[in-house]
Amino acid sequence: MNATGGTTIDTAEVERFSAMAAEWWNPKGKFRPLHKFNPVRLRYIRDEVARQFGCDLNAERPFEGLRILDIGCGGGLLCEPMRWLGAEVVGADASETNIKVARIHAEQSGLDIDYRATTAEALADEGERFDVILNMEVVEHVANVDLYLRRCAEMIKPGGLMFVATINRTMKAYALAIVGAEYVLRWLPKGTHSYDKLVRPVEIHNPLSDEGLLRRDITGMFYSPLSDSWQRSRDTDVNYMVLYERPA
Amino acid sequence: MNENEAGERQIDIMVCGAGYVGLATAVAIKQARPSLDVVLADAAPDGVWKKDGRASAIAAAACAMLQRLGVWDELEEGAQPITEMIVTDSRASDPIRPVYLTFSGEVEPGQPFAHMLMNRDLNGALRRRCDELGIEIHQGTPIAGLDRSGACAVATAKDNRRFSARLVIAADGARSRLRDWAGIRTVSWQYGQSGIVCTVAHERPHNGRAEEHFLPAGPFATLPLPGNRSSIVWTERTADAERLVNSDPFLFETELETRFGRHLGAITVESKPRAWPLGLTLARAFVTHRLALAGDAAHGIHPIAGQGLNMGFKDVAALAEVIVEADRLGLDFGQEDVLEDYQRWRRFDTVRMGATTDILNRLFSNDIAPIRLIRDIGLGIVDRMPGLKRDFIAQAAGKGGPMPRLLRGEAI
């Protein structure tokens, strides 16, 4: 009887996480903004990684042999494409729930991804090293940006890359990314972002250049309502991505 | 063969319907992404496609795509270039039909704006290409059910074989069952007209000239085929069309001759005439989770401007490009947000073309004097305005709207 009871609890939990996985991966659901955002950042990541490591994008698995860390991976929206492209992927998230959700979905997709409920500091302490670190929409949520980025930088192999995507701390960002996205369009729950925690490019640059990284590129992204899609632009006042390299 | 515990064959893409749209889609995707497992299923028994006696006009853009797909070289020999096109507005009994529009249009020097091709030749060439690329074609395999509730879409064939795919492409024609199962509704207009299609032989050469006569009952088009033969698309009210195709062959030929004229000498009907009811059907959505509609399943238009095949090929080129681009990003191309790019790309163009041909048909299918006068003046004006006429030719050549890469003759 007891054994049966234990199984029931497990099943219920799996069902709950499956439902959450379905929600994470529903392009029309709660995470619609992330899905909309995904192609533009994926294209940027793919092209820059391919350029750095000389990958043949027409190959079936162009990222074969690369080890990639997606920190703050959520439901695995970036991990799965990276795995499809052939990379060995570690997905880390502080939330145990997110990790369970991501694992369930990866299994449904038939992908083996190393998901871990852990932090950047813990990974750095374990001596993990990566060719590419994806640091997408995370820095505006961490307690100590400076320390966090330094610990991430430690894990980049020589010749490796780190992508950081976040929202700038400008009045324009306040108007568009907080008032616009959370209060007017209701893309994101109210309180997702707080203005004080937004991060200026220089606040990323200082710790990373102290750690010996070189800034290779910075690009803005804006939402085009006409095509209902995100595009890259030179305007980095709101959403932007920066690319750093550890010289070989 | 990749089977999961549920006994489902696991593949990447299932294409339902092995007409030219389904075949070309499979070839376009497989050619760009050889690693994808693409399978075709078709309801008809093996070899039925060889009996299709119809011909289609292949616009310049579609021709560029066929070249890119590696089938044009073998098709070119049997294709008849259309080097000239005339349009008249008259009654069948008019001894002389004033010509209002002439298109001796070449899209680019040395390139006719369309070719006439037998459907079975096109189908056969695409099938050979499927073989070369390792695309399986399952004939006599109607799909009896589609389940899109799980991680993948599961298509069940009538013989209970099951295919689990990341994406199912419905190229199963105007009465697409996959579309209905997915709950995608359609908007349609019935014209009460039918298109009579047949092939005729005539004594003198047509010199690559296509003719379209706007007769009161509807357009009557002759399209040049190789040798001294032409393909006829003749529109009549449905009851009249049925009566004509079921009438005595001699009577049919006589009726045909009063419309065709004797300028190419005596004519003989070569194939049994068949009548197809005409209507305009548009799917309200072209995509949903793990399903995309292509060709007639998405839109069936009145064949007045000869755009059915070319619109279908635009679907092929756009859909294949969206799928291949997503796959190159590592994205799951069966997700609705990815497929929506295809829908956005095609729907505007489709509605515009559907509306244009609908208006053209309504304008021309009558014998009311003032309307005749207006449309004749209209055609005369079009003929005298090079810009507008170029647009017409570009449209006829399938070059309107933003072009997918394959239709520009480029690789995806």
Side-chain angles (χ1 to χ4, degrees), chain B residues 349-368:
Chain B
D349 195 35
T350 307
V351 171
R352 187 186 57 179
M353 181 58 79
T356 312
T357 48
D358 185 50
I359 291 166
L360 275 177
N361 184 52
R362 281 167 200 274
L363 196 58
F364 283 106
S365 295
N366 62 66
D367 198 18
I368 305 162

Side-chain angles (χ1 to χ4, degrees), chain A:
Chain A
M1 209 52 213
N2 273 345
T4 320
T7 316
T8 314
I9 290 164
D10 257 353
T11 315
E13 187 168 275
V14 168
E15 269 171 17
R16 192 164 65 89
F17 285 113
S18 297
M20 288 168 71
E23 186 58 33
W24 255 101
W25 284 84
N26 177 3
K28 303 216 156 148
K30 210 160 76 186
F31 297 97
R32 183 172 186 270
L34 271 181
H35 286 277
K36 281 276 158 205
F37 206 44
N38 227 12
V40 69
R41 56 185 196 174
L42 264 177
R43 192 163 289 124
Y44 182 71
I45 293 165
R46 180 197 61 178
D47 292 349
E48 292 297 333
V49 169
R51 182 138 58 118
Q52 179 77 357
F53 296 96
C55 312
D56 171 14
L57 286 179
N58 284 319
E60 187 184 340
R61 297 160 67 81
F63 287 3
E64 190 101 69
L66 294 179
R67 188 166 150 81
I68 296 183
L69 169 66
D70 180 12
I71 187 100
C73 63
L77 259 48
L78 278 174
C79 290
E80 290 199 13
M82 291 297 123
R83 184 73 194 114
W84 271 116
L85 293 177
E88 179 193 336
V89 180
V90 176
D93 201 293
S95 152
E96 186 83 39
T97 310
N98 282 350
I99 289 300
K100 283 186 182 169
V101 160
R103 273 193 195 131
I104 284 179
H105 195 273
E107 200 187 309
Q108 289 170 351
S109 307
L111 296 172
D112 65 79
I113 294 171
D114 183 358
Y115 281 118
R116 302 185 203 175
T118 185
T119 61
E121 298 83 70
L123 287 166
D125 287 343
E126 288 161 26
E128 290 281 4
R129 292 292 179 269
F130 298 94
D131 297 296
V132 178
I133 296 183
L134 305 177
N135 216 319
M136 314 305 272
E137 278 75 50
V138 176
V139 290
E140 70 271 28
H141 300 290
V142 303
N144 184 340
V145 175
D146 203 82
L147 179 65
Y148 169 77
L149 285 171
R150 283 172 192 274
R151 297 310 309 269
C152 287
E154 267 177 58
M155 293 186 276
I156 305 172
K157 292 182 191 171
L161 297 176
M162 177 153 80
F163 295 81
V164 184
T166 187
I167 303 171
N168 208 339
R169 195 167 69 250
T170 60
M171 283 324 284
K172 197 159 141 193
Y174 179 70
L176 291 173
I178 296 184
V179 178
E182 294 178 17
Y183 291 83
V184 181
L185 296 169
R186 302 202 178 145
W187 282 349
L188 299 170
K190 286 172 196 165
T192 301
H193 293 114
S194 67
Y195 181 72
D196 296 340
K197 298 201 83 175
L198 300 183
V199 185
R200 293 191 173 136
V202 64
E203 292 157 359
I204 292 169
H205 188 71
N206 289 341
L208 291 184
S209 64
D210 278 357
E211 292 295 322
L213 302 194
L214 298 177
R215 192 169 92 176
R216 264 218 353 215
D217 189 33
I218 180 163
T219 179
M221 282 163 298
F222 75 101
Y223 173 74
S224 149
L226 257 186
S227 63
D228 186 26
S229 65
W230 286 82
Q231 275 145 29
R232 284 178 56 195
S233 87
R234 263 184 287 183
D235 177 0
T236 57
D237 285 350
V238 187
N239 292 84
Y240 67 95
M241 286 188 284
V242 262
L243 173 57
Y244 283 85
E245 175 187 355
R246 179 178 292 288

